[in-house]
Amino acid sequence: MPSDPVQALADEPVDHRFKGLPPDAEHAGLTVGALAAQARNLYTGGFTTPVLTLDSDALEHNLTALGEYSKRHRLAFAPHGKTCMSPQLFRRQLEHGAWGITAAVPHQARVYRAFGIDRIFLANELVDPAALRWVAAELTADPDFRFVCYVDSVRGVHLMDRALAGQPAVIDVVVELGAGEGARTGARSDEDCRAVADAVAATDTLRLVGVAGYEAEVPGADPSSVDAYLRRLTALAVEFDKAGRYAPDVREIVVSAGGSAWFDSVADVLAELPELSRPVLKLLRSGAYVSHDHGWYGRLTPFNRIPQEGGLRPAFRLWTQVVSRPSPTQAFVNAGKRDIAYDLGLPEAELVRDALTGEQRPATGIRVVKLSDQHAWLETDSAEDVQVGDWVALGMSHPCTIFEKWPLIPVVRADGTVTDYVRTFF
């Protein structure tokens, strides 16, 4: 392994794997790092459409915003890495104060370890024997590695215990409290949580270190119901402590919650936790903040409720090109379902860059109405709104499904200068 695997990403060759990059860079045999050093202009430097970009200023703003928010509210922060799956962004999140990185599945945790992440919170019950043995081997080989995962069923605990029999490492677990009937994962009742905790205590392979949950899954979530669920979660943490369910060698109790829609409620309710028998690691796991978006999370972010605490900026922009203008009210750009996130709504036209003059203007009167595999269907108010050859910038919803479609993403300044490239591993 390279001494700095993140830095080593710059040594990758520019080739056909990476959509939108200048073809001449591939033909010249440039590496990604060498291309970045050229600081090409996005619009005149040979990039081909469609090309997804990240705004460098918005990216830094968002990283700072959640880092400062977490520090201000005395929350540890383990942003969910499934959002971007980018080791470069993981490093920047850690530089902005993150405790570690959250994962959902074993593959993600393996990517994290390959790029030097020392603290991983896996927000799922892990019952895959091969993955459990891999975690145990990593813990044994590296005493500085910290790994925590969910447990939410007695059967799951038994499967984990069987897979870990004879392994030298003990895996830290937190009981996941489900957000209610019809919600996603998690033990549904307090009694179920106690039964899971008892099952953990009966093993030599697992160690109970806390409780966790995901408040966005509360049915019909609103401030009142989310707060009520979070108070159930914190009450469970207090009860487990009073009952002596945490082992004597547990140095800190983990209480974790928080997606990108209710981190204000998480901060408020976790602040109410009384003093326990040992320090509490109040762990927030928001992930979509890193890039934010132009729709879904733009509406959901808690900063809409607490603007005095800060705000986020959409960092993504997908540049497409008009390839057909068959009528004054219809146009087609060269990006579709294979390039565009659409699970939380159609993209929005943000900007038009004139193909002849290079001037940019708001995409007034232009709407995306449908997606094909490689086309977005535009509806326009007039023939003058957009012309063949013009670049059209689209804003999209849902960072998780935006990142996953693009293995290498240029990071762009306001003047169009490309300063870096973000590599993803989905």
Side-chain angles (χ1 to χ4, degrees):
M1 179 185 298
S3 57
D4 187 343
V6 176
Q7 186 62 38
L9 292 174
D11 296 330
E12 287 198 75
V14 176
D15 61 30
H16 57 275
R17 291 173 296 166
F18 305 132
K19 299 187 284 186
L21 268 61
D24 68 297
E26 177 183 350
H27 296 152
L30 295 181
T31 63
V32 172
L35 182 59
Q38 292 183 350
R40 296 194 184 196
N41 187 277
L42 177 72
Y43 312 114
T44 61
F47 291 84
T48 63
T49 56
V51 58
L52 181 71
T53 65
L54 279 165
D55 181 291
S56 61
D57 291 338
L59 194 59
E60 178 61 27
H61 171 87
N62 295 343
L63 289 163
T64 300
L66 256 291
E68 291 183 349
Y69 181 87
S70 300
K71 183 177 180 180
R72 191 159 57 245
H73 289 274
R74 299 182 179 180
L75 297 169
F77 188 30
H80 212 317
K82 72 174 175 64
T83 299
C84 64
M85 285 305 294
S86 170
Q88 293 146 292
L89 295 183
F90 297 161
R91 173 166 289 182
R92 292 182 66 178
Q93 288 171 319
L94 294 169
E95 288 170 350
H96 280 80
W99 170 90
I101 306 293
T102 296
V105 294
H107 156 71
Q108 294 165 0
R110 292 180 65 194
V111 170
Y112 299 0
R113 287 298 286 161
F115 287 93
I117 302 301
D118 289 330
R119 292 172 176 166
I120 297 174
F121 184 99
L122 196 146
N124 253 330
E125 186 169 64
L126 183 58
V127 293
D128 184 307
L132 285 162
R133 289 192 288 269
W134 171 80
V135 171
E138 290 290 304
L139 290 167
T140 301
D142 183 358
D144 293 327
F145 177 40
R146 179 84 192 275
F147 179 88
V148 181
C149 74
Y150 282 177
V151 286
D152 80 347
S153 65
V154 172
R155 178 179 171 83
V157 170
H158 290 164
L159 289 170
M160 295 173 76
D161 184 45
R162 184 172 70 171
L164 292 167
Q167 299 293 319
V170 174
I171 291 182
D172 287 345
V173 298
V174 290
V175 173
E176 183 194 6
L177 173 66
E181 290 302 323
R184 203 161 63 188
T185 58
R188 287 295 187 257
S189 69
D190 292 2
E191 189 56 41
D192 289 339
C193 289
R194 296 182 192 108
V196 174
D198 288 342
V200 171
T203 74
D204 296 320
T205 58
L206 304 175
R207 183 175 72 156
L208 183 66
V209 299
V211 298
Y214 181 46
E215 70 292 334
E217 283 292 309
V218 171
D222 59 25
S224 177
S225 60
V226 167
D227 285 358
Y229 164 73
L230 290 168
R231 289 194 175 98
R232 280 187 62 205
L233 184 69
T234 55
L236 200 63
V238 172
E239 176 195 315
F240 280 11
D241 188 44
K242 288 181 179 179
R245 293 186 181 275
Y246 307 122
D249 61 341
V250 172
R251 290 180 294 178
E252 60 184 5
I253 296 167
V254 178
V255 181
S256 179
S260 296
W262 296 99
F263 55 73
D264 55 337
S265 294
V266 173
D268 290 344
V269 174
L270 266 58
E272 300 170 357
L273 265 168
E275 185 174 343
L276 301 183
S277 63
R278 60 209 87 179
V280 178
L281 183 74
K282 302 173 183 178
L283 194 62
L284 181 68
R285 306 191 307 272
S286 311
Y289 83 99
V290 67
S291 64
H292 201 45
D293 70 16
H294 283 90
W296 185 262
Y297 283 102
R299 295 186 292 272
L300 287 184
T301 177
F303 286 128
N304 292 338
R305 296 187 291 272
I306 49 170
Q308 70 278 8
E309 290 265 25
L312 300 172
R313 300 177 189 169
F316 277 128
R317 188 166 279 157
L318 178 65
W319 284 101
T320 67
Q321 192 166 30
V322 179
V323 293
S324 181
R325 186 71 157 114
S327 79
T329 60
Q330 193 175 39
F332 292 86
V333 294
N334 61 345
K337 293 179 180 178
R338 296 185 178 184
D339 314 293
I340 295 170
Y342 56 92
D343 56 314
L344 292 179
L346 291 171
E348 302 172 1
E350 298 286 331
L351 293 171
V352 175
R353 186 175 190 276
D354 191 285
L356 298 177
T357 68
E359 294 180 357
Q360 292 187 15
R361 62 182 184 273
T364 305
I366 303 173
R367 295 165 296 281
V368 179
V369 295
K370 182 179 176 180
L371 297 177
S372 300
D373 283 351
Q374 298 290 182
H375 293 98
W377 299 49
L378 305 185
E379 180 183 79
T380 61
D381 287 345
S382 73
E384 291 73 36
D385 290 335
V386 71
Q387 302 296 331
V388 168
D390 290 349
W391 282 26
V392 178
L394 302 181
M396 297 173 285
S397 288
H398 201 184
C400 298
T401 53
I402 299 171
F403 273 108
E404 72 176 1
K405 295 179 182 294
W406 292 84
L408 195 68
I409 306 169
V411 180
V412 184
R413 290 180 182 157
D415 64 359
T417 301
V418 177
T419 61
D420 200 359
Y421 296 85
V422 165
R423 182 76 162 89
T424 65
F425 291 83
F426 285 93

